[in-house]
Amino acid sequence: MLFRSAKMIPSPGSLLVIRIDHIGDVVMATSVLAPLRKAFPEARIDLMVPSWAQCLLSDEASISGLKVFDAPWFRRERRGLWYGIRGFLDMVRIIKRGEYDAVVDLRGDARHILASFLAGVKYRISYGITGLGFLLTHEVPYDENAHEIDKNAALLGPLGIRCEEAQVGLVPSKKSELEAENIRKKEGIDRPYAVLHMFSGRKEKNWTPEGFAGVIDYLQTQKKLLPVIVGSKEDSVYIKGVARKTPQKVIDLSGKVNLNVLGPLMKNAEIFIGLDSAPAHIAAVSGVQTIILFSGVNDPARWAPRGENVMVIYPGEGKSLDTIAPEEVIREIG
């Protein structure tokens, strides 16, 4: 692979990896951490993530520390130009204080590239796909059709690292496992269960309430599994609407489970069924049988989690999940 600079970067004493956008992207970013630590066992390797990711990654053994930054440009609410400028300057200060030898921005975002440049980082690695690629010391060619994990791995090339089979790595802490156990006891999850995630932040990724209700009926009556539904607090109204369409008992954990607890909760389940969203990535890492309903707005060849127990149901490019019948999902459950 050719870079804009042909020179490999000498072994860095300190390095920052930036991934500050969305949950699924942050989860997939963990795929570069173990290869970096293996290549540079003595280096200080920090990971910049949004504040919501702290609980998910605080026990990550491959990194030295987390640098928390909530980028204004990835917030759903808009607060004006000055708010964005002030946030950008905060990012520059965080990077500058770290005195990093190298920065790897996994997104290829012009704002992150500029912040690294203004912070005086000697080696700056990323994709120049949104502009300012000329400010990078090592601009890596961008393969639009590659899986996102492979795109992340390619950015390690200028550091002399080759990882042909990079994998997401999320190891839950003992504390998280204990929290999951306490939730199971408190909520009465006292028999084999299935975990479902039924609502995505993008409505075009969602399946029909009737579809999920049909799957819940099958899980209860045929598989004898207790349906356990996870989601944000805001999802509870949608979840209650689905629950009203089935006579079966469901456990609604919306707003009750932090990201760090999802992994151990999934690990002890019989199966996970959900949408193209962060819980699906966490389920795939946990090793549980995972069925993901992938709408046509994203290409599963690029975005689907990897794993031996992962099955993707995909209606085709541009097509809605409304075309998927409950029977198609039930066949994959077995």
Side-chain angles (χ1 to χ4, degrees):
M1 180 178 290
L2 298 176
F3 316 112
R4 197 168 61 81
S5 171
K7 294 182 179 179
M8 289 292 174
I9 295 173
S11 180
S14 58
L15 185 146
L16 176 68
V17 177
I18 299 175
R19 192 84 230 200
I20 53 175
D21 42 2
H22 310 297
I23 298 177
D25 300 298
V26 172
V27 171
M28 284 192 281
T30 63
S31 61
V32 306
L33 302 180
L36 282 170
R37 178 53 68 199
K38 182 179 180 181
F40 309 118
E42 304 300 323
R44 173 166 56 90
I45 301 174
D46 290 343
L47 177 63
M48 179 179 282
V49 294
S51 58
W52 51 257
Q54 280 183 281
C55 65
L56 189 64
L57 296 163
S58 58
D59 294 305
E60 172 55 55
S62 297
I63 58 175
S64 306
L66 291 173
K67 297 297 177 183
V68 175
F69 176 67
D70 291 313
W73 43 93
F74 293 127
R75 289 180 177 271
R76 291 182 180 177
E77 71 278 9
R78 299 301 178 187
R79 301 189 183 182
L81 179 61
W82 174 241
Y83 180 76
I85 292 172
R86 188 169 56 187
F88 173 78
L89 295 175
D90 286 341
M91 185 181 190
V92 174
R93 281 191 285 269
I94 292 171
I95 298 173
K96 190 170 185 177
R97 280 200 300 267
E99 298 181 338
Y100 297 105
D101 298 326
V103 165
V104 181
D105 173 47
L106 298 178
R107 182 178 172 88
D109 193 292
R111 292 158 294 204
H112 310 166
I113 294 169
L114 180 59
S116 301
F117 173 78
L118 294 177
V121 179
K122 185 174 182 179
Y123 299 109
R124 303 175 298 279
I125 309 166
S126 193
Y127 297 115
I129 52 174
T130 63
L132 300 186
F134 63 91
L135 293 181
L136 294 167
T137 59
H138 293 73
E139 182 179 356
V140 177
Y142 183 75
D143 181 357
E144 184 177 358
N145 296 316
H147 193 282
E148 292 304 303
I149 289 177
D150 295 329
K151 290 176 185 175
N152 292 342
L155 290 168
L156 304 185
L159 293 159
I161 300 173
R162 297 289 183 269
C163 43
E164 301 298 331
E165 296 183 359
Q167 295 292 333
V168 167
L170 284 175
V171 180
S173 67
K174 295 293 183 184
K175 181 181 178 182
S176 297
E177 291 177 345
L178 182 60
E179 286 184 48
E181 183 180 344
N182 289 338
I183 286 173
R184 288 196 297 271
K185 290 178 180 178
K186 181 180 178 181
E187 299 294 333
I189 306 172
D190 54 1
R191 60 186 175 90
Y193 62 95
V195 176
L196 297 97
H197 178 242
M198 307 191 304
F199 187 74
S200 168
R202 293 177 61 183
K203 64 180 181 180
E204 59 267 33
K205 288 186 175 184
N206 292 340
W207 195 28
T208 63
E210 293 78 12
F212 272 115
V215 169
I216 288 171
D217 286 341
Y218 178 79
L219 290 171
Q220 278 272 38
T221 60
Q222 302 301 313
K223 304 299 287 185
K224 308 305 179 186
L225 296 176
L226 178 64
V228 175
I229 305 172
V230 297
S232 68
K233 188 176 181 179
E234 291 74 22
D235 297 344
S236 61
V237 174
Y238 178 88
I239 292 168
K240 286 181 174 62
V242 174
R244 283 195 293 269
K245 294 181 180 297
T246 172
Q248 309 300 333
K249 175 185 177 181
V250 300
I251 302 294
D252 180 4
L253 295 184
S254 56
K256 299 178 181 180
V257 181
N258 291 328
L259 284 173
N260 61 305
V261 182
L262 271 181
L265 186 70
M266 309 269 201
K267 185 178 180 181
N268 288 283
E270 298 297 317
I271 190 171
F272 169 85
I273 302 164
L275 305 169
D276 166 25
S277 193
H281 291 272
I282 296 173
V285 176
S286 76
V288 68
Q289 181 187 355
T290 299
I291 298 175
I292 308 170
L293 291 116
F294 229 93
S295 76
V297 300
N298 277 341
D299 181 0
R302 290 178 52 191
W303 294 98
R306 289 173 169 171
E308 293 182 0
N309 292 330
V310 176
M311 170 60 66
V312 172
I313 297 175
Y314 179 57
E317 183 179 357
K319 293 183 179 180
S320 168
L321 285 175
D322 291 354
T323 61
I324 302 296
E327 291 73 20
E328 294 183 59
V329 180
I330 288 169
R331 278 198 299 270
E332 299 301 336
I333 296 173

